[in-house]
Amino acid sequence: MAATSTRTFRPSAGQRRLGAKLIGAALSLAFVLVFNFFLFRVLPGDPAKNLTRNRLVPAEQVEVLRESFGLGKPLPQQFAQYVRDTLSGDLGISYKFRRPVSEVIAERIWPTVLLLGLSTLLSTAIGLWIGIRGAWRRNSVFDRVSLGASLALYAMPEFWLGIMLLIAFGVGVGPLPGLFPTGGLSSPDTELASLAGVADVARHLFLPCLTLTLAYIAEYALVMRSSLLDELTEDYLTTARAKGLRDALVLRRHAVPNALLPTTTLIFLNLGFIVSGAITIETVYSWPGLGLLSYEALRTPDYPLLQGVFLLFSAAVIIANLIADLLYAYLDPRVRTG
Amino acid sequence: MTQPTIEEPLGGAPHADTTVPPSLPPQLSPRAISRARRRQAAARAWQEYRRNSIGMVGLAILVLFVAMAVFAPLLVPESELDVTKATGAPFSPPSAEFPLGTDESGRSVLALTIWGSRVSLLVGFLASVISVVIGSVVGIAAGHFGRWTDSLLMRVTDWFLVIPFLPLAIVLATVLGPSLANIAFVIGITSWPGTARIVRAQALAVTSRPYIERARALGAGDWHLITRHILPNVVPLIFANTVLIVAVAILSETTLAFLGLGDPLRVSWGSMLDAAFTQGAASIGAWWYLVPPGVAILLVVLAFTMIGQALESVLNPRLRGR
């Protein structure tokens, strides 16, 4: 269209909104960087000394380390160096592993992605289904039982649920032997790239995945239920029924799509909560992902590693939220045009 | 439902309506009238709350646990927590002498659970107070002053909302060091954004009402407007929200203590679970060490959730029809 292209660029409301979201996410990431920098500086003791404690290190080597942290320079220069290093993927050296933090973290990403991805998928599907059924047949036996179970699951620490499942299905109760391995990613001497290897990992994955799925189902079921209950009071549903639509169609075509909108945002906002779950559950089942890595780092305590993991978790959640916002604008025409 | 759709802010501002209830003698000062009205409103809310069976069950459970925490020294002497004076065998199952068995150093799990309620509840309450105070101040300031104050405060709120709670809390707690006050502080400082959002929305709704404009025209300053008009309207909402925050705070304390960030000198339910897990209670099947603290947490959090939901349905007119 030649007529529009000659005009000066005027961003539409949707584009302005998109721009605001991008800037917001970038600001949040910048905040994380600043926070991380100052946290490191207020830590008790000299970072270079912390790094070398419990070891006999020649004074000149400590000096080299101090140089690499830029500790002799003024704060703004330190900050500039820190930002440069972080953006280029240099997160420092882990105290515990004595290797670059980025290397240690990279090895641990995939187990966490596998565990969180699978349990998020399962819990979303099951949780939404339970929520929809409960709200649609409100106060039915199904609704009451699922609501009670959801509230109970929501009220227990997820790691406690994990330990209980570990005792019941991993260790075994009384004469019953344990059905599943109690920890780790795979048995010591299995080849991962084989059918037996995949089956072995699946057996190890089962309990942590079950725990996380149960822990998240509650949240999704509760949110979906209340969101659909809100929607069910709307007049357009009465209209839909009045024009003779079957109940199932009223639910599927009218109520659920609208109720899903607020739920989508909440699911993504919940990613922070999901990450928290990963830390404790991976600890309980010694699942070698980022969660267990955080636990190892805080027990040492290994500050560079801890900060690296925090940076990664925060960035992941911020970006996921940005995607959720964009998705939301795509799903909801009112947001897109308005 | 005879209740009309109420567009009024929650709680009913004393200045918003002009009719004086017939039960009040006319010669009272305005302040006495508003106080009496508030008392009446509270009594009405309590009447309604009492009819909510879920809320009453929650309240009963909570009273039981608070009594247990307060009277812990009378129920079990503190010396039973001393590792050096422990009489039982390590990890022995429940028996007549130890109804809930013993821990890794031969102490009674029952005694630990009773004493653990003190730290868990105390941290929960302390953290909630910190969280609610920050959230309310930020929410009211953002809602009342608007413009750049609002944008700036909401930017910060959004940041805290989006940053994953546990990694942030872990980093802070590791830097500050493990102690009861630090744990409460860390939980409080990371859990206020939800409250700020809710309070801001309510403060915005109140600020745009005509009687605020009238009060401003009569010469009321920001402080007067906030304390006399906005706060009374926001308080019921804050109250219901606080109860739900306590539940979250207790769960957070448990999680942080489980990760070894709790006060090392005091027993809490979370630190019991930490000790049990790191001492291998799960692998030897010592369920009696793991079940009591977990069930206690479950019951207390459930109680707070039940009370919070009941309070919300009493105090939030929009939910009354549900």
Side-chain angles (χ1 to χ4, degrees), chain B residues 46-155:
Chain B
W46 169 240
Q47 284 300 322
E48 193 153 338
Y49 185 88
R50 270 179 41 181
R51 268 183 275 139
N52 189 320
S53 53
I54 292 178
M56 288 310 280
V57 171
L59 197 61
I61 300 175
L62 182 63
V63 167
L64 212 69
F65 272 96
V66 170
M68 187 170 101
V70 171
F71 298 116
L74 300 178
L75 295 170
V76 178
E78 197 172 357
S79 61
E80 283 209 24
L81 302 182
D82 195 336
V83 183
T84 54
K85 291 183 192 138
T87 49
F91 286 132
S92 57
S95 59
E97 196 191 350
F98 301 105
L100 295 177
T102 63
D103 72 347
E104 76 276 6
S105 38
R107 296 179 294 176
S108 160
V109 171
L110 181 64
L112 291 173
T113 309
I114 290 175
W115 276 84
S117 65
R118 302 193 121 198
V119 173
S120 293
L121 287 174
L122 185 64
V123 171
F125 285 126
L126 268 180
S128 309
V129 169
I130 298 172
S131 160
V132 167
V133 167
I134 301 177
S136 307
V137 168
V138 169
I140 289 177
H144 179 72
F145 294 109
R147 287 188 263 192
W148 65 268
T149 319
D150 188 23
S151 350
L152 182 75
L153 288 177
M154 279 306 107
R155 186 76 264 178

Side-chain angles (χ1 to χ4, degrees), chain B:
Chain B
M1 203 82 212
T2 49
Q3 191 74 39
T5 322
I6 299 179
E7 288 292 306
E8 283 296 318
L10 305 185
H15 301 261
D17 54 332
T18 46
T19 50
V20 178
S23 57
L24 292 171
Q27 67 270 25
L28 287 172
S29 71
R31 193 161 288 188
I33 291 176
S34 70
R35 212 177 304 135
R37 270 211 200 120
R38 241 167 251 165
R39 239 195 337 266
Q40 279 187 341
R44 259 202 313 277
W46 169 240
Q47 284 300 322
E48 193 153 338
Y49 185 88
R50 270 179 41 181
R51 268 183 275 139
N52 189 320
S53 53
I54 292 178
M56 288 310 280
V57 171
L59 197 61
I61 300 175
L62 182 63
V63 167
L64 212 69
F65 272 96
V66 170
M68 187 170 101
V70 171
F71 298 116
L74 300 178
L75 295 170
V76 178
E78 197 172 357
S79 61
E80 283 209 24
L81 302 182
D82 195 336
V83 183
T84 54
K85 291 183 192 138
T87 49
F91 286 132
S92 57
S95 59
E97 196 191 350
F98 301 105
L100 295 177
T102 63
D103 72 347
E104 76 276 6
S105 38
R107 296 179 294 176
S108 160
V109 171
L110 181 64
L112 291 173
T113 309
I114 290 175
W115 276 84
S117 65
R118 302 193 121 198
V119 173
S120 293
L121 287 174
L122 185 64
V123 171
F125 285 126
L126 268 180
S128 309
V129 169
I130 298 172
S131 160
V132 167
V133 167
I134 301 177
S136 307
V137 168
V138 169
I140 289 177
H144 179 72
F145 294 109
R147 287 188 263 192
W148 65 268
T149 319
D150 188 23
S151 350
L152 182 75
L153 288 177
M154 279 306 107
R155 186 76 264 178
V156 177
T157 308
D158 282 349
W159 188 75
F160 272 98
L161 210 56
V162 81
I163 294 303
F165 158 74
L166 196 56
L168 178 62
I170 287 175
V171 170
L172 278 175
T174 316
V175 171
L176 292 172
S179 84
L180 194 148
N182 282 350
I183 287 293
F185 172 77
V186 166
I187 297 171
I189 203 92
T190 47
S191 61
W192 58 266
T195 313
R197 279 265 182 111
I198 297 170
V199 170
R200 173 181 172 268
Q202 182 70 8
L204 267 179
V206 178
T207 304
S208 65
R209 298 186 73 77
Y211 74 90
I212 295 284
E213 203 181 334
R214 193 189 65 183
R216 207 188 282 277
L218 288 172
D222 285 324
W223 181 249
H224 178 89
L225 286 177
I226 287 174
T227 53
R228 295 246 161 265
H229 296 285
I230 296 175
L231 208 55
N233 280 306
V234 179
V235 159
L237 197 71
I238 295 178
F239 190 55
N241 185 249
T242 309
V243 176
L244 292 173
I245 297 252
V246 180
V248 176
I250 290 176
L251 274 178
S252 307
E253 190 275 334
T254 311
T255 306
L256 289 176
F258 175 70
L259 295 173
L261 296 166
D263 193 326
L265 302 175
R266 285 175 234 247
V267 180
S268 81
W269 293 328
S271 73
M272 284 176 73
L273 289 174
D274 172 35
F277 184 72
T278 47
Q279 298 296 328
S283 38
I284 60 164
W287 54 269
W288 59 87
Y289 190 8
L290 289 155
V291 171
V295 170
I297 296 160
L298 179 83
L299 285 175
V300 168
V301 173
L302 206 55
F304 276 111
T305 315
M306 287 155 97
I307 295 171
Q309 302 229 322
L311 271 180
E312 262 188 347
S313 69
V314 169
L315 297 173
N316 190 345
R318 278 209 311 134
L319 295 174
R320 265 186 208 155
R322 290 262 191 92

Side-chain angles (χ1 to χ4, degrees), chain A residues 51 93-99 104 108 292-293 295-305:
Chain A
L51 184 57
I93 310 286
S94 158
Y95 296 173
K96 184 182 160 79
F97 297 93
R98 312 230 177 272
R99 286 195 301 144
V104 178
R108 300 288 197 101
L292 184 62
L293 189 65
Y295 181 72
E296 289 167 344
L298 83 93
R299 279 277 153 131
T300 308
D302 184 341
Y303 298 118
L305 189 54

